[in-house]
């Protein structure tokens, strides 16, 4: 009995030992699985780290610490004549422009190889003055095309934010008197406050925007400009595609509210036959018959040459706006900003009395001559009471001033 009991106790102890061994094996198996999972995770992390390190080594090979940069050229290295020829501004004017845009164009980061403000302004002005391609604009400063693109964008945005400081239509009494006397001295047309017209700026074919295709057979935006007797641009509207008519752009611009709401207007604008007749917008007579009407039309045409010369100055100074250099290779929205910026720079040059040495051709208006008669007939059929009143005002004006 004792032997049997001892055997049973041993068997029980043996079973317990086997059970403990099995539990130990299971525990070790679980620990081994956990270690394998950790190792797998570490391998994945290590692989990503090795790949990133390989990329970093590649970057370091492409951009070594002792990279040699080409010498960057600014307007300061140009002679006065070369600065006027390549940038269309004097060195003093470019320096003033750099000071004006200093805060906007300062490098944001601490990098020691960021482009200075003078390089950015020099590059952008060279692009505006030379044409529509960025590669040639980078040659003057010895920078890459991608750097040229960033310079043009930064300078354009910085100047565009200051548009209201340089393009404005003052309606105070002194300004109106000054403009009226200035225009009257040109061809004897009294009480003129400005000349209005439109011009086309060629652009590359935009995606899904057929309205940009104009009647002359190319893609463009139709830009409305109002100028004073000193060729200063007082208003610009550059947000409509090339197929839009001049009269439509006028109605959507800020000009009608400016003249209709202002109580102390002393005169009117002059426009060609593309525009409807208003009490604040004098247009030429379609069929003058009397000597007074002929003198009115002659004085009207002579005074209106101001806007054609203004547009000629604008496109001669900034060849990127001229179709001869090819269309601008940007979206219509970006081209609109570039146009406004060129108008700002035009006024900047006018304020400083900067003249162009080469002869400036008078820019032809945007209107197609073949459409003028049809448009006049359409306007005759749709005359409103306001236009009838304007006809009476024009007839009285012709009788009083040109008889």
């Amino acid at each position: 009995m004792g032997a049997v009991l001892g055997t049973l106790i041993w068997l029980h102890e043996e079973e317990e030992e086997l059970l403990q061994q099995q539990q130990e094996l299971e525990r070790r198996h679980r620990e081994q699985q956990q270690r394998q999972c950790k190792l797998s995770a570490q391998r994945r992390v290590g692989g990503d780290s090795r790949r990133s390190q390989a990329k970093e080594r590649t970057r370091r090979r492409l951009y070594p610490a002792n990279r040699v940069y080409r010498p960057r050229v600014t307007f300061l290295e140009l002679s006065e004549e070369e600065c006027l020829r390549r940038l269309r501004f004097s060195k003093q004017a470019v320096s003033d422009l750099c000071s004006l845009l200093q805060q906007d164009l300062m490098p944001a980061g601490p990098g020691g190889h960021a482009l200075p403000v003078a390089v950015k302004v020099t590059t952008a002005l060279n692009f505006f003055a030379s044409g529509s391609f960025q590669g040639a604009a980078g040659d003057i400063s010895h920078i890459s095309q991608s750097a040229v693109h960033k310079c043009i964008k930064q300078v354009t945005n910085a100047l565009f934010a200051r548009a209201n400081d340089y393009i404005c239509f003052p309606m105070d009494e002194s300004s109106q008197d000054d403009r009226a006397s200035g225009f009257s001295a040109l061809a004897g047309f009294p009480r003129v406050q400005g000349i209005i017209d439109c011009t086309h700026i060629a652009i590359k074919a935009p995606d899904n925007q057929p309205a940009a295709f104009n009647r002359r057979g190319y893609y463009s935006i139709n830009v409305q400009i109002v100028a004073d007797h000193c060729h200063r641009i007082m208003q610009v509207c550059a947000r409509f595609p090339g197929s839009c008519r001049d009269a439509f752009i006028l109605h959507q611009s800020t000009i009608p509210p400016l003249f209709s709401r202002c109580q102390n207007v002393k005169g009117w604008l002059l426009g060609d036959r593309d525009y409807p007749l208003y009490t604040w917008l004098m247009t030429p007579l379609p069929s003058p018959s009397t000597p007074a009407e002929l003198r009115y039309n002659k004085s009207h045409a002579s005074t209106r040459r101001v806007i054609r010369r203004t547009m000629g100055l604008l496109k001669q100074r900034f060849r990127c706006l001229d179709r001869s250099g090819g269309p601008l290779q940007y979206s219509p929205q970006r081209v609109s900003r570039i146009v406004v910026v060129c108008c700002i720079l035009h006024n900047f040059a006018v304020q400083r009395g900067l003249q162009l040495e080469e002869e400036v051709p008078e820019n032809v208006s945007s209107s197609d001559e073949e459409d003028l008669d049809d448009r006049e007939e359409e306007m005759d059929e749709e005359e409103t009471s306001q236009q009838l009143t304007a006809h009476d005002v024009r007839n009285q004006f012709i009788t009083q001033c040109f008889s």
Side-chain angles (χ1 to χ4, degrees):
M1 185 70 182
V4 172
L5 182 60
T7 304
L8 291 175
I9 291 174
W10 179 83
L11 289 174
H12 179 68
E13 290 177 350
E14 189 176 21
E15 288 178 358
E16 286 185 350
E17 185 178 354
L18 290 173
L19 181 61
Q20 290 176 358
Q21 290 177 357
Q22 185 177 2
Q23 290 177 349
E24 181 68 18
L25 289 173
E26 291 178 354
R27 184 180 64 79
R28 291 179 180 177
H29 181 66
R30 285 195 300 270
E31 290 179 353
Q32 186 178 3
Q33 286 182 335
Q34 291 175 357
R35 284 195 298 268
Q36 288 177 350
C37 290
K38 289 180 179 179
L39 287 173
S40 299
Q42 289 174 358
R43 289 193 192 99
R44 287 195 296 271
V45 173
D48 294 340
S49 177
R50 284 192 296 272
R51 283 192 293 271
S52 62
Q53 289 174 2
K55 290 181 179 178
E56 184 64 25
R57 285 194 297 270
T58 303
R59 290 195 201 101
R60 288 174 183 172
R61 284 197 298 270
L62 291 175
Y63 301 100
N66 297 324
R67 186 183 180 193
V68 177
Y69 288 84
R70 290 182 294 178
R72 293 157 178 167
V73 178
T74 70
F75 69 96
L76 297 172
E77 282 75 33
L78 303 177
S79 65
E80 187 68 28
E81 294 75 15
E82 192 174 10
C83 191
L84 285 169
R85 180 175 59 84
R86 301 193 67 175
L87 306 184
R88 303 297 188 178
F89 287 93
S90 65
K91 295 181 73 171
Q92 182 59 50
V94 180
S95 178
D96 294 342
L97 198 58
C98 290
S99 301
L100 176 69
L101 304 178
Q102 182 77 20
Q103 296 300 320
D104 298 289
L105 302 181
M106 282 289 291
H113 299 294
L115 293 177
V117 174
V119 172
K120 295 178 180 179
V121 173
T122 301
T123 303
L125 289 179
N126 183 244
F127 167 76
F128 297 144
S130 61
S132 58
F133 293 98
Q134 296 176 163
D139 293 341
I140 188 174
S141 301
H142 298 167
I143 59 177
S144 65
Q145 182 175 348
S146 61
V148 171
H149 176 79
K150 293 178 182 178
C151 291
I152 295 170
K153 184 176 181 180
Q154 290 178 15
V155 173
T156 298
N157 292 341
L159 283 170
F160 186 82
R162 292 171 168 78
N164 292 334
D165 297 334
Y166 289 91
I167 301 176
C168 59
F169 202 136
M171 295 297 287
D172 58 278
E173 186 174 354
S174 175
S175 297
Q176 291 193 62
D177 291 341
D178 182 60
R179 290 195 296 266
S181 60
F183 278 116
S184 180
L186 297 177
F189 204 108
R191 300 170 60 186
V192 179
Q193 294 300 317
I195 316 293
I196 186 171
D197 205 350
C198 289
T199 185
H200 285 278
I201 306 298
I203 61 174
K204 69 175 183 179
D207 296 333
N208 301 320
Q209 294 190 34
F213 196 76
N214 63 32
R215 291 168 291 160
R216 295 188 175 184
Y218 61 92
Y219 291 93
S220 68
I221 59 173
N222 198 4
V223 180
Q224 174 183 284
I225 291 177
V226 180
D228 67 6
H229 59 289
C230 296
H231 306 291
R232 188 177 67 88
I233 295 174
M234 299 184 293
Q235 193 268 350
V236 57
C237 182
R239 54 190 176 90
F240 290 96
S243 63
C244 290
R245 300 291 182 93
D246 296 359
F248 173 81
I249 297 174
L250 169 65
H251 293 152
Q252 303 299 317
S253 70
T254 58
I255 294 299
L258 178 66
F259 277 84
S260 60
R261 296 174 186 173
C262 187
Q263 301 298 323
N264 62 337
V265 177
K266 293 186 174 183
W268 36 62
L269 300 176
L270 297 189
D272 58 22
R273 287 191 292 169
D274 286 350
Y275 294 102
L277 178 67
Y278 293 107
T279 55
W280 48 267
L281 176 57
M282 292 287 110
T283 59
L285 292 162
S287 302
S289 56
T290 65
E293 292 176 346
L294 290 171
R295 284 192 290 270
Y296 167 86
N297 268 15
K298 182 178 180 180
S299 179
H300 188 286
S302 298
T303 308
R304 205 159 43 82
R305 289 176 183 167
V306 169
I307 190 65
R308 295 188 176 184
R309 179 165 176 81
T310 300
M311 291 177 177
L313 283 168
L314 181 67
K315 292 189 176 183
Q316 190 76 4
R317 187 181 297 276
F318 305 110
R319 299 303 296 271
C320 68
L321 303 182
D322 192 76
R323 193 187 171 202
S324 62
L328 281 165
Q329 303 297 308
Y330 296 95
S331 66
Q333 294 77 16
R334 177 59 58 180
V335 172
S336 296
R337 286 200 165 211
I338 290 175
V339 171
V340 174
V341 165
C342 288
C343 292
I344 293 171
L345 293 172
H346 169 85
N347 286 350
F348 191 81
V350 170
Q351 289 176 1
R352 284 156 178 75
L354 298 177
Q355 303 292 331
L356 293 176
E357 294 182 359
E358 58 266 38
E359 174 145 356
V360 179
E362 289 186 354
N363 188 60
V364 180
S365 85
S366 67
S367 310
D368 289 334
E369 297 295 334
E370 58 193 25
D371 295 337
L372 294 179
D373 295 337
D374 295 338
R375 193 172 309 167
E376 190 68 31
E377 292 176 2
E378 291 174 4
M379 291 196 310
D380 289 341
E381 294 174 358
E382 299 176 359
E383 281 181 334
T384 63
S385 58
Q386 184 179 5
Q387 289 173 330
L388 291 173
T389 302
H391 276 280
D392 293 337
V393 170
R394 183 172 64 180
N395 292 336
Q396 293 176 6
F397 170 68
I398 292 173
T399 303
Q400 292 174 1
C401 298
F402 293 95
S403 295

